[in-house]
Amino acid sequence: MGDPRWVLAVDHGTSTTTGATADVDPADGWTRVTTVRVDGATTIPSVVLSRDDGAVLAGRPALDAAHADPQAAVVRARSFLATATGGADDPLLTTYPRPTTAVNVATALIARVLQAETGRRGTAPAVVTLLRPASWTDPDTGPAALRAAGRAALGAVAGGGEVELTLLTGPEAAAIRLGGSGPVVVVDLGGGGTEIALVDREQPDPATTTATLRDGLPARTLEVGAEALDDALTQLVLDRAPTALAERIRFSSDAEAHRAWFWLRRGVHDAKTRLGAEGTVDVAVPVLAPEHPAPGVVRLTHADLGPLFARGLEQVGAGIVALLSDADADRPPLLVRGGVSALPGVREWLAARTGCALAAADDPGAAAPAGQVCGAAAWAAARAGLGR
């Protein structure tokens, strides 16, 4: 086995990948959970790029390298893991500059987090826990592919072959981070879509919470997510950009037009986060000669979000009500998380629509981007017996 003093959890998401560790504080003997920093940040973009020389970049270096060669970058690969097996027959996601699969992409991102922390500590962890959607119920596809990626990533670090590898669903991890007892509806407005699950919590002692998905009640998934909103906002920016530029980016297949689209969409993604906090934001329109030879901007406001996301938000609200109806449950609290949930009024609207109170009102960390991976690290620590 690895070093019995610490464990690692990794959440490979559609848009970002995060990690968290748990170890024992030598000062008081309590188990402490800390997010992993890679390239100075607690989240890394879920982007992988294969260079012509065979080097594979993951996270921020891959995103930076994509500035020159966006066609070589693989994004949004996580959804393909759901039907992958981790075997030789997994379909290829791209053929330029060399073929890759969803498992290869997941391996590179998990390894990036794992190598950053093992490099800092000098040892491999006792347990690595990988988060998976609750909707991945076929053990021979998504979970098998994620295990294959985890094992391959562990093979890249010294002592990784002896590390215990476990999987945990995202809703259970989020409920563990929330703490407390009783049922909670976990609503994850993720990059690739939304997952809604009813989770039962128990508190065997004041410092510990366990969580299990409600037996016999499958999680609900909806095609409402941050990536779709980014696509819609990008199209809105193009609608407001000079017509000739918009037409070239939308309809041309040349490398410069593709590069302009890639970086416009990345700019929209970054601007959306600021838009939630600031109310208005200017998105840089790419320079692309001869259609747009000088820099320019398009302004987005809160008012632009409503028409683009209102229908999707109503789908989420209706999905929560339907899940509770199937469960014959009252109105447990809602833990609403994921990137879109940070936009103004989203959590409050869902609470009003469903008649459920919001969980974590006094603990915003439970709904933060790293909340569920921290819950997974705490779960892995209990599994490894840290602090006992």
Side-chain angles (χ1 to χ4, degrees):
M1 61 177 294
D3 187 336
R5 295 173 297 179
W6 70 286
V7 298
L8 172 71
V10 181
D11 182 9
H12 162 40
T14 302
S15 303
T16 60
T17 295
T18 56
T21 64
D23 56 15
V24 177
D25 190 330
D28 55 23
W30 287 91
T31 300
R32 58 186 177 185
V33 175
T34 308
T35 52
V36 176
R37 300 189 72 85
V38 183
D39 300 323
T42 56
T43 63
I44 64 173
S46 291
V47 180
V48 171
L49 182 143
S50 298
R51 295 193 321 209
D52 288 326
D53 61 5
V56 176
L57 306 178
R60 178 57 61 179
L63 188 59
D64 292 342
H67 186 280
D69 194 6
Q71 290 176 311
V74 180
V75 297
R76 304 195 218 185
R78 213 288 291 270
S79 61
F80 293 94
L81 268 180
T83 55
T85 65
D89 58 343
D90 281 343
L92 298 178
L93 300 180
T94 182
T95 57
Y96 178 83
R98 63 180 189 172
T100 190
T101 66
V103 172
N104 291 340
V105 173
T107 297
L109 291 164
I110 294 166
R112 189 90 173 89
V113 176
L114 179 62
Q115 289 171 329
E117 193 61 21
T118 56
R120 188 179 74 83
R121 294 176 182 258
T123 60
V127 177
V128 168
T129 295
L130 305 179
L131 285 172
R132 67 169 181 85
S135 57
W136 288 7
T137 56
D138 179 2
D140 296 326
T141 53
L146 191 57
R147 285 185 185 278
R151 277 294 163 210
L154 282 166
V157 299
E162 300 177 352
V163 173
E164 180 184 3
L165 179 66
T166 61
L167 304 187
L168 181 67
T169 73
E172 289 170 320
I176 290 170
R177 169 59 184 85
L178 176 64
S181 60
V184 60
V185 178
V186 179
V187 183
D188 192 345
L189 296 159
T194 294
E195 183 170 77
I196 308 167
L198 182 59
V199 182
D200 291 311
R201 296 169 295 162
E202 294 184 359
Q203 202 165 22
D205 62 67
T208 305
T209 293
T210 61
T212 55
L213 296 169
R214 177 66 60 89
D215 188 38
L217 188 67
R220 291 176 177 254
T221 57
L222 302 169
E223 294 183 1
V224 178
E227 295 288 343
L229 181 57
D230 287 353
D231 288 339
L233 285 170
T234 301
Q235 293 302 323
L236 180 61
V237 171
L238 287 175
D239 287 344
R240 297 174 180 176
T243 301
L245 172 70
E247 288 182 349
R248 183 175 172 193
I249 290 177
R250 280 171 168 153
F251 305 120
S252 177
S253 59
D254 68 89
E256 289 301 317
H258 184 79
R259 186 176 294 113
W261 174 87
F262 183 89
W263 283 102
L264 174 60
R265 194 182 179 287
R266 291 305 305 183
V268 167
H269 175 82
D270 294 339
K272 182 186 67 182
T273 302
R274 303 197 310 275
L275 179 59
E278 300 171 12
T280 62
V281 66
D282 290 332
V283 178
V285 178
V287 173
L288 185 62
E291 291 84 357
H292 195 249
V297 297
V298 168
R299 174 156 293 184
L300 297 177
T301 71
H302 278 173
D304 294 319
L305 292 173
L308 294 178
F309 197 57
R311 185 175 180 182
L313 200 58
E314 170 57 32
Q315 286 181 268
V316 176
I320 296 168
V321 171
L323 180 77
L324 294 176
S325 178
D326 288 348
D328 193 21
D330 292 329
R331 289 292 184 264
L334 292 181
L335 176 59
V336 185
R337 62 172 316 279
V340 179
S341 69
L343 294 176
V346 167
R347 292 187 175 102
E348 292 76 12
W349 188 91
L350 286 173
R353 169 66 175 81
T354 61
C356 299
L358 285 175
D362 57 350
D363 181 13
Q372 72 175 14
V373 78
C374 288
W379 179 85
R383 184 181 182 91
L386 296 188
R388 296 180 182 174

